[in-house]
């Protein structure tokens, strides 16, 4: 029998029982009916995990779950991942079709699904912004992965159009979402807040350079990583809905090497550089060819030695004069490893560290600048160039990655094994006779302090109700008010006569 009808059933089964017992049973039945009514009117606060949809009765349990045990399920298969960033990588590698809130769609679905967008510009059109809004009918408004996957083709098309119109561009993406914290506001209402997740800034020098499977995915991964950290460390915040994503672009003018610049006297004296006397903007091309096809007769600085070999290099999509930002593209198209050094104020420093470790040819170049002009020179002997300019007193073998010198080939090989894993580095050393000797200066810290005061304060933590911050201003959201309830301190002296006992208030 059901517990809420237990007393009624007893009264029906035993109608002739003691009237006193019957009265007690009726009172008990009324009391149970009231309790059941109150129980049905209770409102239970439930906190749902945005990723796995598990429910919790307290925000601290939800936060602990998201930090330690929450997994991120893939809608296309049964796999789970420990972070949203890893889920996104899996989706783009293992599931090439576009994902939506309701499941798989055809990979060409971006040709039929169109998102609402608004364009804005500033600085006479040099800076542009496109705002793309999610569709509400397919669940994109509540699913960040589905929304980003659905607009990938539109993002690529927009960047190509901006590149055609502005030439070289810099771009980044900013995703604006509304976060919600259940029962976190005044009177138990939900607390809402706007959050921005911004990608890194990238360069696009040619429309053919944009790769939606790499460049755009790298941008998405940065947004997902920031979103993941916000959810895990946000004390119960979860996604309410996506407002929009904006693609910000600006015109970019990279510097490029052009016509001939005479070498500084210190560099010319090394006889480790080939400075080709070109009148056009192809000094980069001639320097590469001079390394591949060195001339054995005549003056190697004359251009006519290298013009017949221009067709051997693939310069498609690389604008002349060549800027350092184009070197990586040149390496990929020609399978040639290129290291670029800069020279300023008598010091060499790496400008570009090659990413190719097994190229069929290696080239070392020097990028010179003189006022508004720049020029590429071929480094014919890196060890000789650095030895003559550093004046170390004995010959050294130099690392192409960090320009550090070593006295033996064996030591250099051991160093390159680890140094080649990192980006460009510039090693600096103290100046002889100026800052080459370290001495202790903070003598005051060696003196014993006469008096020391140790203090501590205790507070009560009272939750605060805060208003939603404005969208166009940075702000700090205050969640807890600390109310002092007591403190204590003790004065300690090097002379025990003046040391005081602890005082508590």
């Amino acid at each position: 029998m059901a517990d809420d009808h237990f007393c009624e059933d007893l009264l029906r089964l035993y109608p002739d029982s003691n009237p006193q017992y019957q009265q007690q049973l009726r009172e008990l039945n009324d009391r149970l009916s009231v309790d059941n009514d109150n129980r049905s009117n209770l409102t239970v606060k439930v906190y749902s995990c945005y990723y796995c949809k598990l429910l919790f009765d307290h925000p601290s349990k939800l936060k602990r779950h998201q930090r330690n045990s929450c997994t991120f399920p893939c809608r296309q298969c049964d796999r789970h991942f420990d972070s949203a960033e890893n889920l996104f990588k899996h989706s783009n590698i293992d599931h090439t079709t576009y994902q939506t809130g309701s499941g798989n769609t055809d990979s060409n679905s971006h040709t039929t699904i169109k998102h609402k967008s608004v364009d804005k510009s500033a600085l006479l059109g040099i800076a542009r912004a496109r705002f793309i809004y999610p569709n509400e009918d397919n669940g994109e408004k509540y699913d960040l992965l589905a929304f980003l996957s659905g607009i990938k083709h539109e993002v690529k098309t927009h960047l190509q159009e901006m590149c055609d119109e502005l030439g070289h561009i810099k771009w980044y993406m900013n995703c604006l979402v509304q976060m919600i914290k259940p029962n976190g506001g005044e009177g138990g209402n939900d607390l809402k807040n706007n959050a921005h997740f911004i990608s890194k800034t990238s360069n696009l020098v040619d429309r053919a350079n944009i790769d939606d499977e790499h460049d755009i995915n790298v941008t998405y991964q940065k947004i997902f990583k920031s979103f993941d950290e916000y959810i895990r460390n946000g004390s119960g915040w979860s996604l309410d809905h996506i407002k929009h994503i904006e693609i910000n672009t600006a015109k970019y003018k990279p510097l490029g090497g052009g016509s001939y610049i005479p070498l500084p006297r210190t560099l010319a004296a090394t006889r480790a550089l080939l400075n080709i006397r070109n009148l056009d903007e192809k000094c980069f091309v001639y320097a590469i060819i001079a390394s591949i096809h060195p001339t054995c007769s005549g003056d190697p600085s004359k251009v006519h030695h290298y013009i017949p070999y221009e067709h051997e290099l693939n310069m498609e999509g690389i604008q002349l004069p060549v800027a350092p930002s184009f070197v990586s593209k040149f390496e990929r198209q020609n399978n040639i490893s290129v290291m670029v050094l800069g020279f300023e104020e008598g010091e060499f420093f790496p400008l570009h560290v090659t990413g190719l470790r097994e190229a069929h040819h290696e080239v070392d170049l020097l990028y010179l600048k003189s006022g508004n002009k720049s020029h590429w020179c071929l480094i014919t002997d890196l060890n000789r160039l650095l030895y003559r300019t550093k004046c170390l007193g004995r010959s050294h073998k130099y690392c192409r990655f960090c320009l550090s010198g070593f006295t033996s080939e064996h030591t250099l090989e051991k160093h390159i094994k680890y140094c080649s894993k990192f980006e460009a580095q510039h090693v600096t050393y103290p100046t002889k006779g100026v800052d080459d000797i370290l001495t202790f200066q903070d003598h005051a810290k060696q003196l014993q302090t006469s008096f020391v005061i140790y203090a501590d304060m205790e507070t009560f933590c009272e939750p605060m109700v805060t208003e939603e911050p404005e969208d166009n201003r940075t702000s700090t959201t205050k969640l807890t008010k600390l109310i002092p309830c007591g403190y204590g301190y003790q004065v300690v002296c090097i002379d025990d006569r003046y040391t005081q006992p602890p005082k508590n208030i």
Side-chain angles (χ1 to χ4, degrees):
M1 283 180 282
D3 58 353
D4 53 348
H5 299 292
F6 177 71
C7 294
E8 294 180 4
D9 293 334
L10 287 177
L11 290 172
R12 287 196 302 270
L13 292 173
Y14 306 100
D16 298 331
S17 61
N18 190 318
Q20 183 178 358
Y21 290 155
Q22 286 188 342
Q23 181 62 28
Q24 292 178 355
L25 286 174
R26 289 191 183 96
E27 293 177 357
L28 178 60
N29 182 64
D30 294 339
R31 206 175 300 125
L32 288 175
S33 300
V34 172
D35 291 341
N36 287 333
D37 293 339
N38 293 336
R39 199 181 311 153
S40 62
N41 294 328
L42 287 176
T43 301
V44 180
K45 296 181 180 180
V46 178
Y47 301 87
S48 174
C49 177
Y50 168 75
Y51 300 107
C52 61
K53 309 306 179 186
L54 288 178
L55 301 179
F56 300 88
D57 59 357
H58 196 276
S60 63
K61 296 181 180 179
L62 171 61
K63 184 177 180 180
R64 183 166 59 250
H65 160 74
Q66 289 177 335
R67 283 183 174 178
N68 301 327
S69 60
C70 179
T71 58
F72 302 81
C74 175
R75 296 187 303 274
Q76 309 296 334
C77 60
D78 295 332
R79 295 185 61 183
H80 288 68
F81 300 87
D82 59 354
S83 70
E85 184 182 7
N86 291 335
L87 169 62
F88 180 76
K89 292 179 181 179
H90 158 76
S91 299
N92 284 279
I93 295 174
D94 297 339
H95 305 297
T96 56
T97 56
Y98 286 78
Q99 297 191 34
T100 65
S102 58
N104 281 339
T105 59
D106 183 69
S107 60
N108 295 325
S109 60
H110 58 260
T111 60
T112 57
I113 298 178
K114 191 67 177 178
H115 296 80
K116 177 185 175 182
S117 62
V118 176
D119 292 333
K120 297 182 180 181
S121 63
L123 301 176
L124 301 178
I126 295 178
R128 309 284 184 90
R130 168 165 291 187
F131 296 80
I132 302 179
Y133 299 87
N135 292 323
E136 298 188 12
D137 52 354
N138 62 355
E140 285 185 346
K141 188 175 182 180
Y142 310 101
D143 193 326
L144 185 59
L145 177 60
F147 177 50
L148 294 179
S149 298
I151 65 172
K152 184 183 293 185
H153 179 74
E154 296 177 53
V155 172
K156 179 179 179 180
T157 302
H158 175 68
L159 293 175
Q160 290 176 333
E161 292 174 352
M162 290 296 98
C163 199
D164 292 339
E165 185 174 348
L166 300 178
H168 309 320
I169 61 172
K170 282 181 174 288
W171 66 280
Y172 72 93
M173 300 178 68
N174 178 15
C175 185
L176 175 61
V177 303
Q178 180 170 285
M179 308 298 291
I180 185 172
K181 180 184 290 187
N183 312 115
E186 184 177 1
N189 297 323
D190 294 340
L191 183 63
K192 297 182 179 181
N193 188 24
N194 291 330
H196 295 263
F197 303 108
I198 304 175
S199 71
K200 294 182 179 180
T201 302
S202 302
N203 300 333
L204 182 59
V205 295
D206 186 82
R207 65 171 291 142
N209 288 2
I210 186 68
D211 183 359
D212 57 350
E213 295 303 326
H214 179 266
D215 300 326
I216 297 180
N217 283 351
V218 170
T219 300
Y220 283 2
Q221 287 173 12
K222 174 61 173 65
I223 294 176
F224 260 95
K225 184 176 181 180
S226 301
F227 177 71
D228 183 20
E229 292 175 352
Y230 192 100
I231 291 289
R232 290 183 179 274
N233 304 322
S235 300
W237 288 102
S238 60
L239 176 66
D240 184 53
H241 68 271
I242 303 168
K243 291 192 171 183
H244 65 254
I245 194 166
E246 56 184 286
I247 311 170
N248 296 279
T249 58
K251 189 175 180 61
Y252 169 53
K253 293 183 178 180
L255 295 176
S259 57
Y260 172 79
I261 296 177
L263 289 175
R265 183 177 299 179
T266 54
L267 297 183
T270 63
R271 298 188 178 185
L273 294 168
L274 176 56
N275 189 14
I276 300 175
R277 300 174 179 271
N278 65 302
L279 299 178
D280 51 19
E281 297 178 336
K282 298 182 179 181
C283 56
F284 178 86
V285 176
Y286 299 144
I288 298 292
I289 295 175
S291 176
I292 301 174
H293 301 284
T295 180
C296 299
S297 61
D299 185 357
S301 65
K302 292 185 177 181
V303 175
H304 69 270
H305 295 291
Y306 315 110
I307 293 179
Y309 303 102
E310 286 188 60
H311 66 279
E312 295 183 2
L313 301 181
N314 182 4
M315 300 296 292
E316 181 180 358
I318 301 177
Q319 184 178 352
L320 298 176
V322 178
S325 57
F326 282 92
V327 174
S328 295
K329 179 178 177 64
F330 173 84
E331 289 181 314
R332 293 193 299 268
Q333 294 183 176
N334 296 272
N335 194 26
I336 297 176
S337 169
V338 180
M339 298 288 292
V340 181
L341 301 185
F343 182 77
E344 289 182 1
E345 299 179 355
E347 287 289 333
F348 290 99
F349 55 91
L351 273 179
H352 170 78
V353 174
T354 180
L356 299 179
R357 298 293 184 258
E358 298 180 357
H360 71 267
H361 194 80
E362 295 182 351
V363 182
D364 296 327
L365 298 180
L366 177 65
Y367 186 67
L368 288 177
K369 295 176 63 177
S370 178
N372 294 327
K373 298 178 64 177
S374 54
H375 185 60
W376 294 95
C377 298
L378 173 65
I379 301 176
T380 56
D381 191 334
L382 179 64
N383 292 328
R384 181 185 180 93
L385 175 67
L386 298 179
Y387 163 69
R388 290 298 184 91
T389 54
K390 291 180 179 293
C391 302
L392 297 179
R394 57 180 297 187
S395 61
H396 282 67
K397 308 291 184 179
Y398 289 90
C399 173
R400 297 176 70 229
F401 301 97
C402 65
L403 309 186
S404 298
F406 300 88
T407 56
S408 68
E409 191 73 30
H410 175 69
T411 307
L412 174 61
E413 291 177 357
K414 291 175 59 179
H415 167 80
I416 291 179
K417 180 180 178 181
Y418 300 100
C419 185
S420 60
K421 298 178 181 179
F422 302 98
E423 299 294 331
Q425 306 164 54
H426 184 197
V427 180
T428 58
Y429 297 97
T431 304
K432 186 175 181 179
V434 179
D435 57 352
D436 55 344
I437 299 178
L438 295 179
T439 58
F440 184 77
Q441 302 292 335
D442 295 330
H443 298 286
K445 295 181 179 179
Q446 293 180 310
L447 302 178
Q448 189 173 10
T449 304
S450 300
F451 286 89
V452 178
I453 300 177
Y454 299 95
D456 184 29
M457 175 176 287
E458 300 296 333
T459 61
F460 291 118
C461 296
E462 180 179 304
M464 296 180 60
V465 178
T466 58
E467 297 181 356
E468 183 177 354
E470 299 181 13
D471 294 346
N472 57 350
R473 296 182 58 186
T474 59
S475 61
T476 300
T477 302
K478 298 179 180 179
L479 302 177
T480 305
K481 181 179 180 181
L482 302 179
I483 302 176
C485 62
Y487 67 91
Y489 70 92
Q490 181 180 12
V491 178
V492 179
C493 180
I494 56 176
D495 189 341
D496 294 338
R497 294 176 299 173
Y498 301 100
T499 298
Q500 301 179 5
K503 295 185 178 180
N504 301 321
I505 298 178

